[in-house]
Amino acid sequence: MQTDFFKNNTLFSPALETSFQQLAHMAHWQCYKKGAMILDHRQSEHTFLYIVRGWIKLFKESADGQEIIVNLLTHDQYCGEEFLSYPSKQETYQAQSISDLDVLTFPIRALRSLIASDPQLAFSFLQSTLQKQQELNERIEHLSIQNAIQRIGCYLLRSCDDPKNPKTSTKLPYHKVLLASFLGMKPETFSRALKEMSKQYGLHVQGDVIHIPDVKKLVGFVCQHCSKVFPCQPSE
Amino acid sequence: MQTDFFKNNTLFSPALETSFQQLAHMAHWQCYKKGAMILDHRQSEHTFLYIVRGWIKLFKESADGQEIIVNLLTHDQYCGEEFLSYPSKQETYQAQSISDLDVLTFPIRALRSLIASDPQLAFSFLQSTLQKQQELNERIEHLSIQNAIQRIGCYLLRSCDDPKNPKTSTKLPYHKVLLASFLGMKPETFSRALKEMSKQYGLHVQGDVIHIPDVKKLVGFVCQHCSKVFPCQPSE
DNA sequence: CGAAACCTTGACAATGTTCAATCACTGTGG
DNA sequence: CCACAGTGATTGAACATTGTCAAGGTTTCG
């Protein structure tokens, strides 16, 4: 494994010069096909996973056997950082690829000691974690106060190709079932909400490609209960 | 300000010996009455706030003027850590005391440079942030899959006096309106849910004191969709 | 004491879920 | 290449949950 990858990466590049060799040494590059199990509960506890290409699904099972989607992650996102804290009372999960996938895996213990010895790397992880925390706070806000249509609309607006254009479009990166679950609703609700949005806001849905002909109109409904207004600047 | 406080504190105690003086120097001890405004948007961006005694409410306003509860925090919890990242794209908020209150305030810039220079303190903040992240993940899980009764039940079970006892009780630390909003529901829904829980699970509600006569029975309903079972160990 | 905030309740509307049926799409083996 | 199984997506109807609005009771605090 080359050190170049780490030197050109937002998360790792602030590290001390001496740390790059160690990172390159502990990381393992792995490739998977779509649908492969990447981590089980036991493995997740010992693995920091950095995604280079593709998508993964993090999930758990509820007491009554339902699958709970924890997160959906893509390139330059990662998971397992929670196990850097020690002793860890964090929850484990399972990871599965939902597309062809390239990842880097790091043994958590080795990464933990490196971070503890490299203040610059520690600070970079802290910054990145705070950023992630912000995203979680947004998800909580949305689940608390937005209805299904608003949550979907918010997702579409944030993932659209050209936010500045008055009309734009976007392509869902994975199945609607997954997205529905990630947004905290049932697939049927998701389907009906999309249909309703077509009627109300002229959305054009063709498979996984969605065209938004009037961004402003959609924003007017989607962002009304939120603390921010698209393109998601604080509303005050 | 004495250094003793920091040396006996989970978050700060791992710091380098030389950092304690600086912490003591930059921190300001402040006391407020119930209902005081602690931080406005502008101030929140520059302040790390550590609560010594009492409760605060963090909140924002939505585009349509509703109050959004971001968090409710009490002693040994803190806010403002998100502004340690720099340049910060984090969202600001307002803070108000909801009880008599003692806090420590830190100017964020000074704290940021101290953390950047003290690897042990940086690592401690990273650990603490990861812990907080875990809690946010739990809130998301609960908002996604639990109904109103389950969310309330989960809150009551986690805050009850004696989790091991088959019967126990708890006292709400603040108004029901706040708790309802924190749990993502309307006050009316909260009120009706408590009533329903009295009927179904024998809860006895007297003002802000709630008695749970049969913990096991309540757990059977509350924890069924969750990935953990009371006292909140992973269910697998 | 009286005002204001908090809390509860009822009637009703809006939203979301469940269950079952159907259709569309994809990949596999004959 | 086609038949077919399996998954994903949509739809309808019945139902459950939550929100809204209005009214009235209760508590708190100056």
Side-chain angles (χ1 to χ4, degrees):
Chain A
M1 176 89 211
Q2 299 295 318
T3 59
D4 286 5
F5 175 86
F6 300 106
K7 295 185 180 176
N8 295 308
N9 177 289
T10 315
L11 179 63
F12 294 106
S13 64
L16 295 173
E17 191 58 33
T18 52
S19 296
F20 290 120
Q21 276 295 338
Q22 296 188 56
L23 284 168
H25 188 254
M26 74 175 75
H28 288 272
W29 187 291
Q30 300 184 317
C31 302
Y32 294 92
K33 288 204 175 160
K34 177 175 176 173
M37 280 302 300
I38 314 295
L39 299 171
D40 63 22
H41 282 282
R42 196 183 46 74
Q43 293 166 327
S44 74
E45 206 170 351
H46 305 293
T47 311
F48 179 83
L49 197 78
Y50 189 99
I51 304 177
V52 179
R53 184 182 65 93
W55 284 88
I56 63 168
K57 163 178 88 173
L58 302 186
F59 65 104
K60 302 178 195 172
E61 219 169 293
S62 68
D64 64 352
Q66 296 293 301
E67 180 178 287
I68 303 173
I69 305 286
V70 177
N71 218 337
L72 299 166
L73 301 173
T74 188
H75 57 88
D76 298 318
Q77 299 185 301
Y78 54 84
C79 64
E81 76 279 13
E82 47 270 50
F83 304 107
L84 289 170
S85 91
Y86 188 82
S88 171
K89 288 173 188 166
Q90 307 283 334
E91 286 180 62
T92 59
Y93 44 76
Q94 299 173 264
Q96 188 178 18
S97 60
I98 54 176
S99 75
D100 289 354
L101 183 72
D102 296 350
V103 295
L104 286 177
T105 62
F106 302 73
I108 204 83
R109 279 190 54 187
L111 185 59
R112 188 191 297 129
S113 14
L114 182 62
I115 289 176
S117 72
D118 180 340
Q120 300 190 27
L121 191 56
F123 198 69
S124 178
F125 267 77
L126 178 57
Q127 297 221 151
S128 182
T129 302
L130 292 172
Q131 185 55 43
K132 219 167 164 173
Q133 180 176 306
Q134 159 94 345
E135 287 156 25
L136 296 179
N137 274 317
E138 283 173 5
R139 276 180 72 186
I140 290 173
E141 181 180 320
H142 292 161
L143 285 168
S144 299
I145 58 187
Q146 292 186 322
N147 65 22
I149 291 182
Q150 290 167 333
R151 295 207 295 282
I152 297 171
C154 184
Y155 177 92
L156 295 179
L157 287 167
R158 284 160 173 251
S159 72
C160 73
D161 301 328
D162 182 4
K164 289 163 217 149
N165 210 312
K167 54 185 67 180
T168 183
S169 57
T170 184
K171 185 176 182 304
L172 305 181
Y174 36 73
H175 284 154
K176 291 175 179 175
V177 183
L178 279 177
L179 181 52
S181 178
F182 181 69
L183 295 175
M185 68 190 75
K186 302 293 161 185
E188 294 95 328
T189 302
F190 184 89
S191 182
R192 278 186 258 265
L194 268 191
K195 200 179 171 188
E196 183 65 21
M197 292 167 85
S198 306
K199 204 192 295 177
Q200 298 271 333
Y201 309 104
L203 241 66
H204 195 246
V205 183
Q206 188 126 40
D208 56 358
V209 176
I210 296 175
H211 183 68
I212 305 173
D214 189 346
V215 169
K216 205 172 169 186
K217 190 173 178 185
L218 185 59
V219 166
F221 178 72
V222 165
C223 305
Q224 59 183 332
H225 298 323
C226 190
S227 65
K228 302 194 282 188
V229 174
F230 187 74
C232 297
Q233 303 305 320
S235 68
E236 299 173 89
Chain B
M1 174 92 213
Q2 299 295 319
T3 59
D4 288 5
F5 174 86
F6 300 107
K7 294 185 180 177
N8 296 308
N9 176 289
T10 316
L11 179 63
F12 295 105
S13 64
L16 295 173
E17 191 59 32
T18 51
S19 296
F20 290 120
Q21 275 296 338
Q22 296 188 58
L23 283 168
H25 187 254
M26 73 175 76
H28 288 271
W29 186 291
Q30 299 184 315
C31 301
Y32 295 91
K33 290 206 172 155
K34 177 174 176 172
M37 280 302 300
I38 314 296
L39 300 171
D40 62 22
H41 282 282
R42 197 184 46 76
Q43 293 167 327
S44 74
E45 206 170 351
H46 304 292
T47 310
F48 178 84
L49 196 80
Y50 189 100
I51 304 178
V52 178
R53 183 182 65 94
W55 284 87
I56 62 169
K57 162 178 88 171
L58 303 186
F59 65 104
K60 300 178 197 172
E61 218 168 294
S62 67
D64 64 352
Q66 297 293 302
E67 181 179 285
I68 303 173
I69 306 286
V70 177
N71 218 338
L72 299 166
L73 301 173
T74 188
H75 57 87
D76 297 319
Q77 300 183 301
Y78 54 83
C79 64
E81 77 279 16
E82 48 270 49
F83 304 107
L84 289 170
S85 91
Y86 188 82
S88 172
K89 286 173 190 167
Q90 307 282 335
E91 285 181 62
T92 59
Y93 44 76
Q94 298 173 263
Q96 187 178 19
S97 60
I98 54 176
S99 76
D100 289 353
L101 183 73
D102 296 351
V103 294
L104 287 176
T105 61
F106 302 72
I108 203 84
R109 279 191 53 185
L111 186 58
R112 187 190 299 130
S113 15
L114 183 62
I115 290 175
S117 73
D118 180 340
Q120 300 190 27
L121 191 57
F123 198 69
S124 178
F125 267 77
L126 179 57
Q127 299 220 149
S128 181
T129 302
L130 292 171
Q131 184 56 44
K132 219 166 163 173
Q133 180 176 306
Q134 159 95 344
E135 286 156 26
L136 296 179
N137 274 317
E138 283 174 4
R139 277 181 71 186
I140 291 173
E141 181 179 320
H142 292 161
L143 286 168
S144 298
I145 58 186
Q146 292 186 322
N147 65 23
I149 292 182
Q150 290 167 332
R151 295 207 296 280
I152 297 171
C154 183
Y155 177 92
L156 295 178
L157 287 167
R158 284 160 173 250
S159 71
C160 73
D161 300 330
D162 182 3
K164 289 164 215 147
N165 209 312
K167 54 184 66 181
T168 182
S169 57
T170 184
K171 184 175 181 304
L172 306 180
Y174 36 75
H175 285 153
K176 291 176 180 175
V177 183
L178 279 177
L179 182 51
S181 178
F182 181 69
L183 295 176
M185 68 189 75
K186 301 291 159 184
E188 294 94 331
T189 303
F190 184 89
S191 182
R192 279 186 259 265
L194 268 190
K195 199 180 173 190
E196 182 64 23
M197 292 167 85
S198 306
K199 204 193 294 177
Q200 298 271 335
Y201 309 104
L203 241 67
H204 195 244
V205 182
Q206 188 124 42
D208 56 358
V209 176
I210 297 175
H211 183 67
I212 305 173
D214 188 346
V215 169
K216 205 171 168 186
K217 190 173 178 185
L218 185 59
V219 166
F221 177 71
V222 165
C223 305
Q224 59 184 331
H225 297 323
C226 190
S227 66
K228 301 195 282 187
V229 174
F230 188 74
C232 298
Q233 305 303 323
S235 66
E236 301 172 88

